[in-house]
Amino acid sequence: MNAAVSASRRRPFTIEPWSVREPELDLGRMAQTESVFALSNGHLGLRGNLDEGEPHAVPGSYLNSFYESRPLPHAEAGYGYPESGQTIINVTNGKLIRLLVDDEPLDTRYGELFSHTRVLDLRAGTLTRDTGWVSPAGRAVRVRSERLVSLTQRAVAAIDYRVEPVDAPVLVVVQSELVANEEVPRPVDVDPRATAVLIAPLAHARHRADPTGATLLHRTKRSGLLMAASMDHEVYGPDGVSVQCTATEHIGRTTVICRLLPGQQLRLVKYLAYGWSGQRSPSALDDQVRAALAAARYTGWDGLVAQQREYLDDFWSSADVEIDGDAELQQAVRCALFHVMQAGARAERRAIPAKGLTGPGYDGHTFWDTETYVLAVLTYLVPDAGADALRWRQSILPLALERATQLGLQGAAFPWRTISGQECSGYWPAGTAAFHINADISDAVLRHVAATADTDFERGTGLELLVGTARLWRSLGHHDAEGEFRIDGVTGPDEYSAIADNNVYTNLMAQQNLRAAAELSARHPRAAAALGVDAEEMASWRNAAGAMRIPYDEKLAVHPQAEGFTDHAVWDFADEPPEHYPLMLHHPYFDLYRKQVVKQADLVLAMQLRPDAFSDPEQMARNFAYYEQITVRDSSLSAAVQSAMAALTGHLDLAYDYLGETALIDLDDLAGNTGDGMHLASLAGSWTAIVAGFGGMRAGQDGRLAFAPHLPSSLARVSFGMHWRGLHLRVAITPDEAEYRLLRGGSAQLIHHDEEIELSGGEPQRCPIPALPPREQPEQPPGRAPAPRRPRG
Amino acid sequence: MNAAVSASRRRPFTIEPWSVREPELDLGRMAQTESVFALSNGHLGLRGNLDEGEPHAVPGSYLNSFYESRPLPHAEAGYGYPESGQTIINVTNGKLIRLLVDDEPLDTRYGELFSHTRVLDLRAGTLTRDTGWVSPAGRAVRVRSERLVSLTQRAVAAIDYRVEPVDAPVLVVVQSELVANEEVPRPVDVDPRATAVLIAPLAHARHRADPTGATLLHRTKRSGLLMAASMDHEVYGPDGVSVQCTATEHIGRTTVICRLLPGQQLRLVKYLAYGWSGQRSPSALDDQVRAALAAARYTGWDGLVAQQREYLDDFWSSADVEIDGDAELQQAVRCALFHVMQAGARAERRAIPAKGLTGPGYDGHTFWDTETYVLAVLTYLVPDAGADALRWRQSILPLALERATQLGLQGAAFPWRTISGQECSGYWPAGTAAFHINADISDAVLRHVAATADTDFERGTGLELLVGTARLWRSLGHHDAEGEFRIDGVTGPDEYSAIADNNVYTNLMAQQNLRAAAELSARHPRAAAALGVDAEEMASWRNAAGAMRIPYDEKLAVHPQAEGFTDHAVWDFADEPPEHYPLMLHHPYFDLYRKQVVKQADLVLAMQLRPDAFSDPEQMARNFAYYEQITVRDSSLSAAVQSAMAALTGHLDLAYDYLGETALIDLDDLAGNTGDGMHLASLAGSWTAIVAGFGGMRAGQDGRLAFAPHLPSSLARVSFGMHWRGLHLRVAITPDEAEYRLLRGGSAQLIHHDEEIELSGGEPQRCPIPALPPREQPEQPPGRAPAPRRPRG
């Protein structure tokens, strides 16, 4: 079958439980497939570009936190505006393997592609490709490649590349390369001056041809970061194979030539090692990648493959989610977990970007998505990775303290978007003003501490982050004449509102932050004292938390998202044509901000994260229904939260619809921009929607773990697992009962629908699921209801 | 005396009743004196640069609305953001007259300046300069120049330039020039790309040497506007004077050479004509400036001088303000009126920029300053100029309608800042969101109609502007569930708040706008019908106006500036060092916006413009005192309003202090940036502070003119005049009584302190002034009280 744009197919993948398979090459979907097929370990990321480099949509090789600085222009300058941005750059491409067949380059746009398959194997952690191609001159070859980015050796990637003639002898030339400053498509939204800076950001530092490979060192021109990429090869083929290596400033090349008869094969195993540093010398970095490469070669291809599977077996043994009754969702959720795992696994005290290392979207920046969505999964599935992400926040505390000072505040003001810790937001009403990120970090700390009971972490990283952020809140808010503690003029999660007083989400999260900082300080008095915390300060935190203002609209009997929100005009949804979504591309912010229209869960997210503050289930249901009517989900961060809260307020089918949207966002390219990278928060949210929504999981900071499961009518069974304080727990839910079981660990107390249960050994506990009271179906704005989920496959 | 920076002197001018004199050259004050000595007629403006061009601070020659387009970069793009800015440019400099004395150029930085005076004569409308200079080689000359920008021939400027030797014969070479693309200092705040665009914005179109002059035509490179500058000369000197004219692409030059003996003089009269067009051809424009030049030469220097004085005699006969007891203030107020007159006199349906044509500040943009401050004076002193400024607004209505549509609104949304009508604001929270500009325009219309009773204007320009803006308000606001009409998420005059609900100023001004649109539509049914207004629409305007929400804080018994304002934390003024003002250069907007700190009168301006809405004088006094405590006057638009409202709430000495600040802003360079151009709004505000403050003038839309005069203790007598419905009225106030007299017109009914009085013929009416009730002195933030005014001179 030839490569073709097959617009009629909804998506380019088949439905399989443990893999994502592309059965034919669809050039029109290339950006999307490059993202979905991206391999990463959180340190190194390689987009799913074809081995031969072209055709491509967005070529991409990324090193976590390796960025270039660029100017941030402002039409009107203002105090405290960041002047410099950071953009992740496409580093030296080491995955390039070009092939000449009797002097004609393999390029799927020419000749005939008689077969094509790519498979992302979620258990093997590899991307394999099978291609059958006839050159324009009529020479037929089969190429099979398998690629991995090692989860066990973080500097390493490897490719097993094989080519064989189909029916007649061919002369093949394989050029395995390292290429710096590859041409990349220019970002559309970025200032032209910035684009200029990003066109060829790498300056040559050192290059070397090795006996069976090459090494290139480059430095970014403005940010001054040094990187090294090195490759080495094993070549297997018939006698007479020639191998030559060369290197110039921007290209390292290993050229392999041989004549192949039918039945013969040329096999190349390419080992890649990457490293970067802002401080180490070229010699040190050069040695570092040499060492990594030596280790990879020592392990060998088969060894790397085996380690990869071992790592993933371990991961899936506790992390797997089984969904009976919806094969499409089954695949999507596993693919989601795979990408979330990839983003965090070896990030090791570096930021986890909103797109992981799967694409250039959002400039490679990290937002609150990490703490609120991604860590909400990693904490339970890869707890060490979760801890490391928070230790990264701790490592940028000095910058956050500096930023707070610049803003006239105390404590730590974490950046809204950043790579290396400096604020990079160019629009403060939806950047600096979104102070909730500080409470989101604290929330992630508390979640991690509750889930792991890791006291060292609590006393070290945890306390420092909580104290810094509590101090911020204390100075950001004030007690009014009645004694209430107000936080004015800030922006909550919903980006269709900004600069509002007493945003309920922000205030509730700040309240938790302040309270917990006081509690932790009391629990670790010596560590707290070392941070300068005294009893007076703790009291002021408790007082502020206790007096926190939470506005309430008595007439509507709902919580306004922020002070006065429910007095605003409701957006005129009826007059909004479908093509005007997302609204922000068709309406000015000023109009969105002043009306009741919600881009993404805000008050509804507050209910998910602070259920204790909404003790009356009827109140929760009223709030949920109210915000359903005005939420348009123009952000990919919304559906997961709406799914969880729909489930918790008894709307299971609606929850199921939203779950489909959040889980399939990239496999179905629902936001139309998967090509820029995977939507990690949305993917992670699908796990939370299942576990916190259908599972009704609540993880108390007191160590109590509660479930209140319910399944939507379409699903026969859902099971999920999680780490909890050293235990591995697995929960299986059917329409009528839930089964709890410990896979590891001696015993546990759980709560099932308000009833305590005891687990011990591997003995399952089965508990009946009570019926739900009927509730009126909430409504969405016209045309904005989620697609009704009809299970496929 | 040699030129020197004399930092010890407070200001570079002597105090004289009818002129502004610089008795010595102060290079450190050059930017300021260039602005103060700028001559303009509203169409053409020449900064007070020295004839020989250098030294200079900011060379400047401006044509009203002649601008270059430049990119407006945004760190993060958004729907509806303007992509292109407009910047007034320094056009071809025709005021250059270079002098060589025995081969050495006259440059005051070299040789010895043994005398120097410059005088701006406020009655003659000329700038004269007397310079005595000894060249480094010891040749002494006297140069006297006199310059005018004609108020009667708007395309024309002229310079009478004389040079004579002091004691020994000299060979003099005079080069009288036209120079395009002069080097100007780069603006600091502007994006480098924009600066690049503005460096040499004029592209050559045509040049010609004439027998005694030259002509240059240029076109702006991006905005495509064509301009022509032409010069002609009369030369008077001893026999043997040589006159030669040349022209190249960017320079026209008339070179005059002669040998002068002591007692002899070389005199050059330079006539300049300027024109520009976005539509006419080079030939047409060339002819246009030739014709203007011919007319100027026909009138001759003496004729131009005589016309100038005649125009000003007429202006001062009604406009003069006499202040007995404060010579400094007397001078300042006359200088202020002169500059306001200059800015508006011949603008003729072009914008009046915030700096007039006196400097490059604010990119040469027009803001609401024009309607609310400048037209509040022009309407009463040069009514035709006021009408023309509003006709300019009418002329850009199509762009305002388009902008409203882009923003999803009905009616007209006028630009916050512009030159030719397109929105040029790069920061929407203090740009697009400041919708009050639309009500400010309507307010100026209503003021003009009340003051002139011009029914044609009312039915034409007035109705169209009122209907367009009323439609905007109707679509911008909404009735809430209780029926109140709310206007949410807008920015009022105070730029230390933004995006607030129900800003009292905005709502009151919108209320007046809606009501008046309905009234005028009822009065001119046919004209209204032609605009599509029907009875339903009028009713909806009246309903919205009637239901307008005006928030009130019952606990504090004051009006919050906007919904919730008084719940915000009060700015920590005690901790603010004096060098941290203006606050916006030391604090982020987000923090200013969320606290009680006021940059400039907002609620207090509402009381000045809508006194009918604050009928209880005690309420006014409470409001005034409340906002005094939190207003820092970081804007030059504030002091005038605070002066007027201090007087109206019985704080006459405080009003006097504020009056000094607003009137002396440029003569004393109080804001430190007079060099960028004159603060026209602040200057105009000094008239309003006197007339509406001390005079207690209220001009009712019903045609009733009321006064409630009171003088501060330091002033013996203040008199002012104004046009009112064809009458010329003069009011003189002493501490005990007020005298009202008609200078022109048959009879009038006035109100003096709530009592009706009749005026007829030139017969003065004297009325006693009642005593003021004592009131507690309001307080300002620490360090922000106005300087106590001690009369000087």
Side-chain angles (χ1 to χ4, degrees):
Chain A
M1 197 190 310
N2 211 324
V5 180
S6 46
S8 63
R9 292 185 65 248
R10 193 168 161 228
R11 58 175 212 180
F13 309 112
T14 56
I15 296 172
E16 301 177 25
W18 280 106
S19 46
V20 180
R21 178 183 308 269
E22 177 191 49
E24 61 185 276
L25 187 62
D26 182 343
L27 294 179
R29 301 258 190 198
M30 203 139 215
Q32 180 195 0
T33 54
E34 285 169 356
S35 295
V36 171
F37 288 155
L39 293 176
S40 163
N41 58 19
H43 171 63
L44 168 64
L46 304 179
R47 278 173 69 81
N49 303 118
L50 296 175
D51 301 292
E52 58 273 20
E54 293 176 31
H56 63 227
V58 181
S61 306
Y62 309 106
L63 285 169
N64 191 334
S65 303
F66 191 79
Y67 68 92
E68 180 59 313
S69 306
R70 62 179 180 87
L72 263 189
H74 301 282
E76 290 185 23
Y79 175 89
Y81 287 11
E83 303 278 312
S84 176
Q86 303 175 343
T87 300
I88 196 168
I89 56 172
N90 180 28
V91 300
T92 303
N93 184 357
K95 59 192 182 311
L96 265 186
I97 300 181
R98 301 201 206 269
L99 173 67
L100 254 79
V101 178
D102 272 7
D103 224 17
E104 283 180 301
L106 169 59
D107 185 318
T108 55
R109 291 167 296 191
Y110 307 100
E112 190 200 347
L113 190 68
F114 63 84
S115 71
H116 170 94
T117 321
R118 285 194 289 177
V119 180
L120 174 67
D121 185 322
L122 304 172
R123 283 183 295 199
T126 57
L127 176 67
T128 56
R129 172 208 191 182
D130 280 287
T131 288
W133 183 69
V134 184
S135 76
R139 294 294 175 217
V141 291
R142 283 186 195 279
V143 173
R144 178 185 167 85
S145 74
E146 188 166 2
R147 182 191 290 178
L148 63 80
V149 172
S150 177
L151 293 160
T152 54
Q153 302 190 24
R154 71 195 282 260
V156 168
I159 304 167
D160 178 2
Y161 185 91
R162 300 168 196 224
V163 54
E164 55 188 43
V166 173
D167 45 17
V170 291
L171 177 71
V172 299
V173 182
V174 174
Q175 296 166 304
S176 175
E177 300 188 334
L178 295 175
V179 175
N181 289 327
E182 251 182 325
E183 268 188 49
V184 293
R186 298 189 186 198
V188 220
D189 263 2
V190 175
D191 179 71
R193 279 186 306 149
T195 312
V197 164
L198 301 174
I199 279 174
L202 295 172
H204 169 260
R206 184 182 280 202
H207 66 275
R208 187 183 59 253
D210 299 314
T212 50
T215 303
L216 298 181
L217 273 75
H218 284 84
R219 201 183 285 280
T220 49
K221 291 174 183 167
R222 296 164 58 106
S223 56
L225 305 179
L226 187 68
M227 69 157 287
S230 190
M231 64 177 179
D232 199 357
H233 299 85
E234 289 166 2
V235 179
Y236 307 95
D239 289 346
V241 170
S242 147
V243 178
Q244 270 190 323
C245 298
T246 60
T248 59
E249 286 202 345
H250 297 310
I251 299 183
R253 185 179 291 125
T254 294
T255 307
V256 180
I257 312 181
C258 73
R259 177 166 295 280
L260 292 176
L261 305 176
Q264 289 184 323
Q265 186 187 60
L266 174 66
R267 178 181 176 213
L268 203 73
V269 178
K270 181 176 193 176
Y271 300 96
L272 286 163
Y274 281 91
W276 75 266
S277 172
Q279 301 181 340
R280 307 188 69 196
S281 70
S283 299
L285 205 62
D286 196 348
D287 279 358
Q288 180 180 324
V289 294
R290 270 177 207 253
L293 207 54
R297 238 190 121 145
Y298 175 81
T299 310
W301 171 258
D302 291 342
L304 289 171
V305 167
Q307 285 178 354
Q308 192 86 337
R309 185 171 290 269
E310 198 179 338
Y311 184 99
L312 283 163
D313 282 349
D314 182 55
F315 171 71
W316 289 119
S317 74
S318 56
D320 188 30
V321 171
E322 295 168 314
I323 298 175
D324 295 358
D326 190 337
E328 187 181 47
L329 192 64
Q330 171 70 77
Q331 177 190 40
V333 170
R334 282 187 178 137
C335 179
L337 290 178
F338 180 80
H339 272 286
V340 170
M341 177 280 299
Q342 283 203 127
R346 307 300 305 271
E348 293 179 17
R349 310 196 187 187
R350 296 275 180 204
I352 300 177
K355 306 287 189 191
L357 300 176
T358 65
Y362 290 123
D363 276 343
H365 290 169
T366 294
F367 301 73
W368 69 300
D369 309 31
T370 300
E371 279 76 13
T372 302
Y373 292 80
V374 175
L375 295 196
V377 177
L378 286 181
T379 285
Y380 298 114
L381 302 187
V382 195
D384 290 348
D388 269 351
L390 292 167
R391 288 192 188 103
W392 169 69
R393 287 289 184 191
Q394 186 186 16
S395 76
I396 64 166
L397 250 174
L399 291 168
L401 297 168
E402 204 178 284
R403 176 70 176 161
T405 304
Q406 187 188 28
L407 298 174
L409 296 166
Q410 265 131 52
F414 282 96
W416 177 246
R417 54 190 297 172
T418 191
I419 291 178
S420 77
Q422 292 83 0
E423 177 62 82
C424 294
S425 170
Y427 176 59
W428 74 261
T432 296
F435 281 97
H436 67 83
I437 188 169
N438 298 286
D440 303 330
I441 293 169
S442 294
D443 182 50
V445 165
L446 297 172
R447 190 192 306 117
H448 184 81
V449 166
T452 61
D454 181 341
T455 316
D456 289 344
F457 179 88
E458 174 181 297
R459 188 176 44 239
T461 304
L463 186 67
E464 205 177 333
L465 286 170
L466 278 161
V467 166
T469 47
R471 284 177 173 155
L472 180 86
W473 293 118
R474 189 59 194 84
S475 72
L476 192 64
H478 76 285
H479 289 280
D480 66 13
E482 276 73 46
E484 282 195 297
F485 192 78
R486 299 170 55 96
I487 302 175
D488 292 332
V490 303
T491 300
D494 168 29
E495 292 182 344
Y496 285 170
S497 285
I499 320 180
D501 296 345
N502 299 312
N503 171 263
V504 171
Y505 174 88
T506 304
N507 285 20
L508 284 176
M509 298 300 283
Q511 181 182 53
Q512 169 183 279
N513 193 342
L514 286 159
R515 245 182 222 153
E519 274 169 36
L520 258 65
S521 296
R523 204 141 67 220
H524 306 289
R526 232 179 321 160
L531 296 170
V533 178
D534 62 16
E536 287 296 334
E537 187 170 24
M538 287 156 63
S540 83
W541 294 340
R542 283 197 200 93
N543 290 344
M548 190 65 71
R549 172 155 177 82
I550 306 300
Y552 186 72
D553 184 329
E554 299 284 351
K555 277 176 287 188
L556 295 173
V558 299
H559 286 84
Q561 184 173 299
E563 208 80 63
F565 180 80
T566 46
D567 294 328
H568 290 176
V570 173
W571 190 263
D572 183 4
F573 296 106
D575 272 3
E576 209 60 68
E579 66 273 19
H580 275 195
Y581 291 89
L583 295 176
M584 65 195 175
L585 299 184
H586 302 275
H587 298 277
Y589 279 126
F590 106 85
D591 208 26
L592 294 164
Y593 287 178
R594 58 202 292 280
K595 292 189 176 152
Q596 292 193 62
V597 51
V598 176
K599 186 183 182 192
Q600 63 208 97
D602 188 298
L603 192 280
V604 169
L605 180 58
M607 296 197 297
Q608 186 190 320
L609 298 184
R610 284 290 316 275
D612 56 301
F614 302 85
S615 45
D616 171 12
E618 294 305 318
Q619 180 65 61
M620 267 206 184
R622 276 198 308 276
N623 282 349
F624 179 72
Y626 186 84
Y627 286 95
E628 276 296 283
Q629 304 170 78
I630 54 174
T631 300
V632 295
R633 291 194 323 290
D634 281 350
S635 160
S636 64
L637 301 185
S638 203
V641 180
Q642 288 174 270
S643 176
M645 286 310 301
L648 292 176
T649 53
H651 306 293
L652 294 165
D653 291 334
L654 180 61
Y656 182 50
D657 295 344
Y658 282 132
L659 173 60
E661 184 172 305
T662 197
L664 285 158
I665 187 157
D666 290 317
L667 289 181
D668 282 353
D669 200 5
L670 295 178
N673 59 1
T674 293
D676 294 335
M678 302 294 277
H679 296 80
L680 281 190
S682 179
L683 298 179
S686 62
W687 186 84
T688 304
I690 291 169
V691 174
F694 296 151
M697 187 268 274
R698 277 197 201 187
Q701 277 158 44
D702 53 1
R704 286 161 67 95
L705 187 61
F707 295 89
H710 286 291
L711 275 200
S713 52
S714 312
L715 297 182
R717 180 176 169 278
V718 167
S719 112
F720 57 84
M722 59 191 287
H723 293 240
W724 181 256
R725 302 190 163 214
L727 310 172
H728 284 198
L729 175 69
R730 182 147 286 274
V731 181
I733 312 168
T734 59
D736 305 322
E737 65 172 24
E739 181 193 279
Y740 301 90
R741 196 151 54 97
L742 289 181
L743 298 187
R744 196 174 80 186
S747 67
Q749 276 198 339
L750 301 179
I751 296 165
H752 170 86
H753 282 290
D754 296 328
E755 234 168 273
E756 292 215 352
I757 56 172
E758 293 275 346
L759 286 187
S760 66
E763 207 56 41
Q765 274 272 15
R766 292 201 182 80
C767 311
I769 292 178
L772 270 178
R775 246 198 257 276
E776 207 182 328
Q777 182 78 358
E779 283 185 16
Q780 291 77 32
R784 303 308 290 171
R789 178 123 200 94
R790 290 178 205 88
R792 290 201 296 171
Chain B
M1 196 191 308
N2 210 323
V5 180
S6 46
S8 63
R9 293 184 64 248
R10 192 166 161 231
R11 60 177 212 179
F13 309 112
T14 57
I15 295 173
E16 299 177 29
W18 280 106
S19 46
V20 180
R21 180 182 307 270
E22 177 191 50
E24 61 184 276
L25 186 63
D26 182 343
L27 295 180
R29 300 260 190 197
M30 205 139 215
Q32 181 194 0
T33 55
E34 285 169 355
S35 295
V36 171
F37 287 155
L39 294 175
S40 163
N41 58 18
H43 171 64
L44 169 64
L46 304 179
R47 277 174 68 83
N49 303 118
L50 296 175
D51 301 293
E52 58 274 18
E54 292 177 28
H56 63 226
V58 181
S61 306
Y62 307 107
L63 285 170
N64 190 334
S65 301
F66 191 79
Y67 68 91
E68 181 58 313
S69 305
R70 62 179 181 85
L72 264 188
H74 301 281
E76 289 185 21
Y79 175 90
Y81 287 11
E83 302 278 310
S84 175
Q86 303 175 343
T87 300
I88 196 169
I89 58 172
N90 180 30
V91 300
T92 302
N93 184 357
K95 59 192 183 309
L96 264 187
I97 301 182
R98 302 202 204 268
L99 172 67
L100 254 80
V101 177
D102 274 7
D103 224 16
E104 283 181 302
L106 168 59
D107 186 317
T108 56
R109 291 168 296 193
Y110 305 101
E112 190 201 344
L113 190 66
F114 63 85
S115 72
H116 170 93
T117 321
R118 286 194 290 177
V119 180
L120 174 66
D121 186 323
L122 304 171
R123 282 182 296 199
T126 57
L127 177 67
T128 57
R129 172 209 192 180
D130 279 289
T131 287
W133 183 70
V134 184
S135 75
R139 295 293 176 216
V141 292
R142 282 187 196 279
V143 172
R144 179 185 167 82
S145 75
E146 190 168 1
R147 182 192 288 178
L148 62 79
V149 172
S150 177
L151 293 160
T152 54
Q153 301 189 24
R154 72 195 282 258
V156 168
I159 304 167
D160 179 3
Y161 186 89
R162 300 167 196 227
V163 54
E164 55 188 45
V166 171
D167 45 19
V170 290
L171 177 72
V172 299
V173 181
V174 175
Q175 295 166 305
S176 175
E177 299 188 336
L178 295 174
V179 175
N181 288 329
E182 252 181 325
E183 268 189 46
V184 294
R186 297 190 187 198
V188 221
D189 263 3
V190 174
D191 178 72
R193 277 186 305 150
T195 311
V197 164
L198 300 174
I199 278 174
L202 295 172
H204 169 260
R206 183 183 281 204
H207 66 276
R208 187 182 59 252
D210 298 315
T212 50
T215 302
L216 298 181
L217 274 76
H218 284 85
R219 202 183 283 281
T220 49
K221 291 173 184 167
R222 295 164 58 105
S223 56
L225 305 179
L226 187 68
M227 69 157 289
S230 190
M231 63 176 177
D232 199 357
H233 298 85
E234 287 165 4
V235 179
Y236 308 94
D239 290 348
V241 171
S242 147
V243 178
Q244 270 189 322
C245 297
T246 60
T248 59
E249 286 202 347
H250 297 310
I251 300 184
R253 184 181 292 124
T254 293
T255 307
V256 181
I257 312 181
C258 73
R259 177 165 295 280
L260 292 174
L261 304 177
Q264 289 184 325
Q265 187 188 60
L266 174 67
R267 178 181 178 218
L268 202 74
V269 178
K270 180 177 193 175
Y271 299 97
L272 285 163
Y274 281 92
W276 76 266
S277 174
Q279 300 182 340
R280 306 188 67 196
S281 70
S283 298
L285 204 62
D286 196 348
D287 279 358
Q288 180 181 322
V289 293
R290 269 177 209 254
L293 207 54
R297 238 190 122 145
Y298 174 82
T299 309
W301 171 257
D302 291 342
L304 289 171
V305 167
Q307 285 178 356
Q308 193 85 338
R309 187 172 288 269
E310 199 181 334
Y311 183 99
L312 283 163
D313 282 349
D314 181 56
F315 171 70
W316 289 118
S317 73
S318 56
D320 188 29
V321 171
E322 295 167 317
I323 298 174
D324 295 357
D326 190 338
E328 188 180 46
L329 192 63
Q330 170 69 78
Q331 178 190 40
V333 170
R334 282 187 179 137
C335 179
L337 289 178
F338 180 80
H339 272 288
V340 170
M341 176 281 297
Q342 282 204 127
R346 306 301 304 272
E348 294 179 14
R349 310 195 186 187
R350 296 273 179 205
I352 300 177
K355 305 287 188 190
L357 300 176
T358 66
Y362 290 124
D363 276 344
H365 289 171
T366 295
F367 299 75
W368 68 301
D369 308 32
T370 300
E371 278 76 13
T372 301
Y373 292 81
V374 175
L375 295 195
V377 178
L378 287 180
T379 285
Y380 297 114
L381 302 187
V382 196
D384 289 349
D388 268 352
L390 292 167
R391 288 192 188 102
W392 169 68
R393 288 289 185 190
Q394 186 186 14
S395 78
I396 64 166
L397 252 173
L399 291 168
L401 297 170
E402 204 178 284
R403 175 72 175 159
T405 303
Q406 187 189 26
L407 297 175
L409 296 167
Q410 266 132 51
F414 283 96
W416 176 246
R417 55 189 298 173
T418 191
I419 292 178
S420 77
Q422 292 82 359
E423 178 62 82
C424 294
S425 171
Y427 177 58
W428 74 260
T432 296
F435 281 97
H436 66 83
I437 189 170
N438 298 286
D440 302 330
I441 293 169
S442 294
D443 182 50
V445 165
L446 297 172
R447 190 193 305 116
H448 184 81
V449 165
T452 59
D454 182 341
T455 315
D456 288 345
F457 178 89
E458 175 182 298
R459 189 176 42 237
T461 304
L463 186 67
E464 205 176 334
L465 286 170
L466 279 161
V467 166
T469 47
R471 283 176 173 157
L472 180 84
W473 292 118
R474 188 61 193 83
S475 73
L476 192 63
H478 76 285
H479 290 280
D480 66 13
E482 275 73 48
E484 283 196 297
F485 192 78
R486 300 170 55 96
I487 301 175
D488 292 332
V490 303
T491 300
D494 168 30
E495 291 181 344
Y496 285 171
S497 285
I499 321 181
D501 295 345
N502 300 311
N503 171 263
V504 171
Y505 174 89
T506 304
N507 285 20
L508 284 177
M509 298 299 285
Q511 182 182 53
Q512 169 183 277
N513 192 342
L514 287 159
R515 247 183 219 149
E519 274 169 33
L520 258 67
S521 296
R523 203 140 70 220
H524 307 289
R526 233 179 319 160
L531 296 170
V533 179
D534 62 17
E536 287 297 334
E537 188 171 23
M538 287 156 64
S540 85
W541 293 341
R542 284 197 199 92
N543 290 345
M548 189 65 70
R549 170 156 178 84
I550 307 299
Y552 186 71
D553 184 328
E554 298 284 352
K555 278 177 284 187
L556 295 173
V558 299
H559 287 84
Q561 183 173 298
E563 208 80 63
F565 180 79
T566 46
D567 294 328
H568 291 174
V570 173
W571 191 263
D572 184 4
F573 296 106
D575 273 2
E576 209 60 68
E579 67 273 17
H580 275 194
Y581 291 89
L583 296 175
M584 64 193 174
L585 299 185
H586 303 275
H587 297 278
Y589 280 125
F590 106 85
D591 208 24
L592 293 163
Y593 288 178
R594 58 201 292 279
K595 291 189 176 151
Q596 291 194 63
V597 51
V598 176
K599 186 183 182 191
Q600 63 206 97
D602 188 298
L603 193 278
V604 169
L605 181 59
M607 296 198 295
Q608 186 191 318
L609 299 184
R610 286 289 317 275
D612 56 300
F614 302 85
S615 45
D616 172 10
E618 294 305 320
Q619 180 64 62
M620 266 207 187
R622 276 199 308 276
N623 282 350
F624 179 72
Y626 186 85
Y627 286 95
E628 276 295 283
Q629 306 169 77
I630 54 174
T631 300
V632 295
R633 292 194 322 291
D634 281 349
S635 161
S636 64
L637 301 185
S638 203
V641 180
Q642 288 176 269
S643 176
M645 287 311 301
L648 292 175
T649 52
H651 305 294
L652 294 165
D653 292 334
L654 180 61
Y656 182 50
D657 295 344
Y658 281 133
L659 172 59
E661 184 173 305
T662 197
L664 285 157
I665 186 156
D666 290 317
L667 289 181
D668 282 353
D669 200 5
L670 296 178
N673 60 0
T674 293
D676 293 336
M678 303 293 277
H679 296 80
L680 281 188
S682 179
L683 298 178
S686 63
W687 187 85
T688 305
I690 291 169
V691 174
F694 296 151
M697 186 267 274
R698 277 199 203 186
Q701 277 158 45
D702 52 2
R704 286 160 68 95
L705 188 61
F707 295 91
H710 285 292
L711 275 200
S713 53
S714 311
L715 297 181
R717 180 176 168 279
V718 166
S719 113
F720 58 83
M722 59 190 286
H723 294 241
W724 181 257
R725 300 189 165 217
L727 309 172
H728 284 198
L729 174 70
R730 182 148 284 276
V731 180
I733 313 168
T734 60
D736 305 323
E737 64 171 28
E739 182 193 276
Y740 301 90
R741 197 149 57 94
L742 289 181
L743 299 186
R744 197 174 79 186
S747 68
Q749 276 196 338
L750 299 180
I751 296 166
H752 169 86
H753 280 292
D754 296 331
E755 234 169 85
E756 291 216 350
I757 57 172
E758 293 275 346
L759 286 187
S760 67
E763 208 54 43
Q765 273 274 14
R766 293 199 182 80
C767 312
I769 291 178
L772 269 178
R775 245 199 258 277
E776 207 181 328
Q777 183 77 359
E779 283 185 18
Q780 291 76 33
R784 303 309 289 170
R789 177 124 201 95
R790 293 175 204 89
R792 289 201 296 170

